[in-house]
Amino acid sequence: MALSRRDFLYGSLGTAVLGGLAACSSVHSDTNSNGTSSAPATPSDEGKSANIGKVTGELSFAFWGGSTGETMGFTNAKKNFEAANPGTTINLKIVPYDGFFSGIDRGIQAGNAPDIFRVDYTTIGKYSQNGVLLDVSPYFTASEVDQFLPALWDAVKYNGTPYGVPHQTDTTCIVYSKKAFETAGITSVPTSLDDAWTWDEFSSVAKKLRSSLPSNKFPFAYDWTAAGAFRWLSWLYEAGGTLLTSDLTKCALPSDAGTTALDYTKSFFTNKWVPANNTIKTSVYSDNFFLNQTVAMTFVGDFLVPELADPKTGYKGGDWGATYMPRDKAAAADLGGNAIVALKDTKNPELAAAFLKFLVSEDIMKYFCEQAVELPTLKSLAGEKLAYAYRPDVVAVCAQQASTISDTITKESTVGGFADINTALQNELELAFHGQSTSATLGAIATQVNQAL
């Protein structure tokens, strides 16, 4: 089924996504996915080496094993790039997400890391600030850069220099069992972002589900597990708070908004709205709770839609739908998605740059996002119909939710020390959900955030 991104990004999403999220845009390789040359740079274009020219050689590209669609997308890119550039070989290395970056770190120290690797936006700053990534600015003209949504191009920059390409983005929505909602007497589910549940309304839904479900079933599960701890910040932004001061130099979490957000999310446990093991450091993720029907609804990223919708191994609890994140003083979401980067010390930087550009060329990105069910980062694709492999109706919800990712969210999520900040969130939120006081939690996070900055 075809899905119009124009309706999402230019219509219901409006200019907030195009100007604020800047998560969707891309640049073209000198050789496009059909093997033909792109237009030469104009004299006014920046980037003296933007026209890379003929490339040959062999490089390795590591990415974590996600969905079948992601693997299909990267395999398609490899095949087409090698066909368009005879004499090149891109060796794909699929690695589990758990331990992926510790493996990258060991490889960098030992001098045998992959030439190119995938990195989420919340982790890229760790590598760019340490000077280990390839500066890609010489390989992109100003007009090529302009093809990206500004906020996502900004997400790969450190001190004004881009160290990679924004490959795709994703964000969180709620999926729910229609049967469980009917049983609980929940007859109204938001069908537009403007009508998203308030926190009070969301609480009412959770209470109805709690009353109708057996004691071993729960209203919902959240997606803050492990490296996803930063997604808790959505509730802080919804409460009207920020993680950092406006100059991004200090933690601003200890605040009325921080207290409100943490107290409310701690109530998920005291009210038994979530399973007791739905904690930050659990081994069970939000999608698993939904798949095994332990919960009636759950928070998931759009990249998990293929898993839920798979006719053989997906959700077996009947019809399911999707709706928006709840809102308090504001609506908000998390900046999900990934960049692709190359090491500064790669033996063939021009080949690496050519492959990065190819990955974000229009045809290659379109195919990847359709198969992986993820949101593209090219402005041009905003006006295209994407034939998502699964549940385009759910992608529509996520695309609209993405419009609530503000410049503040983007900037705070991509500061150089955010990987350490995310670790602090993992550790302290885990303690908070097991009894640590709100004030102690906010104070401990603030101390660690300031150290990371």
Side-chain angles (χ1 to χ4, degrees):
M1 177 177 179
L3 184 67
S4 172
R5 289 276 294 165
R6 182 182 299 278
D7 292 341
F8 297 162
L9 296 182
Y10 287 106
S12 58
L13 294 188
T15 57
V17 170
L18 295 177
L21 171 59
C24 301
S25 55
S26 168
V27 295
H28 293 282
S29 169
D30 293 315
T31 307
N32 65 26
S33 59
N34 296 317
T36 58
S37 297
S38 61
T42 63
S44 62
D45 278 346
E46 299 175 0
K48 294 180 180 179
S49 302
N51 291 320
I52 297 174
K54 181 177 174 60
V55 290
T56 59
E58 183 175 349
L59 293 179
S60 57
F61 170 36
F63 59 95
W64 52 86
S67 66
T68 300
E70 288 187 330
T71 301
M72 289 174 59
F74 285 129
T75 302
N76 176 68
K78 164 188 164 66
K79 180 185 71 174
N80 282 280
F81 181 79
E82 291 174 349
N85 297 274
T88 62
T89 300
I90 304 297
N91 295 311
L92 302 182
K93 297 181 179 297
I94 307 176
V95 182
Y97 183 78
D98 290 339
F100 180 87
F101 291 112
S102 60
I104 294 291
D105 296 346
R106 290 192 298 270
I108 290 173
Q109 293 173 356
N112 58 8
D115 299 282
I116 302 165
F117 61 95
R118 194 184 198 192
V119 60
D120 49 85
Y121 298 120
T122 57
T123 304
I124 188 173
K126 164 186 171 182
Y127 295 100
S128 55
Q129 74 172 357
N130 286 319
V132 298
L133 299 182
L134 180 68
D135 171 6
V136 301
S137 58
Y139 305 102
F140 286 88
T141 66
S143 59
E144 287 175 324
V145 169
D146 187 57
Q147 294 176 43
F148 289 91
L149 292 175
L152 282 197
W153 182 255
D154 285 346
V156 300
K157 290 164 66 175
Y158 178 72
N159 286 342
T161 299
Y163 292 100
V165 293
H167 183 231
Q168 48 77 221
T169 189
D170 58 70
T171 198
T172 298
C173 70
I174 298 173
V175 296
Y176 63 94
S177 162
K178 293 184 177 181
K179 179 180 179 181
F181 272 35
E182 181 181 356
T183 301
I186 301 167
T187 58
S188 178
V189 179
T191 57
S192 71
L193 190 59
D194 290 340
D195 294 330
W197 287 316
T198 64
W199 282 10
D200 286 343
E201 290 169 335
F202 180 73
S203 295
S204 177
V205 168
K207 290 175 182 176
K208 289 180 180 179
L209 288 169
R210 180 64 283 166
S211 296
S212 66
L213 292 167
S215 60
N216 64 337
K217 306 290 183 181
F218 299 86
F220 64 92
Y222 62 71
D223 60 346
W224 314 327
T225 304
F230 73 94
R231 294 191 177 96
W232 176 85
L233 294 172
S234 297
W235 300 83
L236 171 66
Y237 299 125
E238 289 164 12
T242 61
L243 174 66
L244 306 177
T245 55
S246 59
D247 60 2
L248 307 178
T249 62
K250 291 182 62 178
C251 185
L253 183 57
S255 62
D256 289 345
T259 299
T260 297
L262 188 51
D263 282 345
Y264 184 62
T265 50
K266 286 171 70 174
S267 75
F268 297 171
F269 292 90
T270 56
N271 291 326
K272 296 185 178 181
W273 290 346
V274 298
N277 63 331
N278 184 204
T279 56
I280 299 292
K281 296 187 178 182
T282 184
S283 60
V284 186
Y285 289 82
S286 63
D287 53 312
N288 298 129
F289 284 113
F290 190 66
L291 283 169
N292 63 29
Q293 299 179 53
T294 300
V295 298
M297 62 178 172
T298 197
F299 292 78
V300 296
D302 48 81
F303 60 92
L304 290 171
V305 169
E307 177 186 81
L308 300 179
D310 186 280
K312 293 183 179 180
T313 60
Y315 184 67
K316 302 300 183 183
D319 290 342
W320 58 279
T323 190
Y324 307 90
M325 293 274 288
R327 54 187 170 84
D328 188 38
K329 291 183 178 178
D334 54 89
L335 176 62
N338 305 285
I340 310 294
V341 299
L343 288 180
K344 179 179 67 176
D345 295 333
T346 177
K347 57 184 176 288
N348 195 333
E350 290 202 342
L351 175 58
F355 186 62
L356 293 185
K357 295 183 74 172
F358 191 79
L359 283 171
V360 292
S361 61
E362 187 175 281
D363 289 348
I364 295 301
M365 179 182 289
K366 182 175 185 290
Y367 180 84
F368 180 93
C369 290
E370 287 176 339
Q371 301 308 311
V373 190
E374 294 166 4
L375 304 178
T377 62
L378 276 175
K379 290 178 182 176
S380 60
L381 291 179
E384 293 290 325
K385 290 184 176 180
L386 270 64
Y388 288 105
Y390 295 96
R391 296 298 298 263
D393 58 316
V394 179
V395 185
V397 172
C398 288
Q400 292 176 46
Q401 189 70 59
S403 70
T404 67
I405 303 174
S406 65
D407 285 341
T408 296
I409 295 173
T410 302
K411 291 175 181 177
E412 293 190 352
S413 300
T414 56
V415 293
F418 198 83
D420 291 333
I421 292 172
N422 200 26
T423 298
L425 291 171
Q426 291 176 44
N427 293 334
E428 298 305 325
L429 289 175
E430 177 78 2
L431 293 174
F433 299 144
H434 284 90
Q436 180 172 267
S437 72
T438 295
S439 60
T441 301
L442 297 179
I445 293 174
T447 296
Q448 294 172 60
V449 167
N450 289 332
Q451 290 172 347
L453 295 173

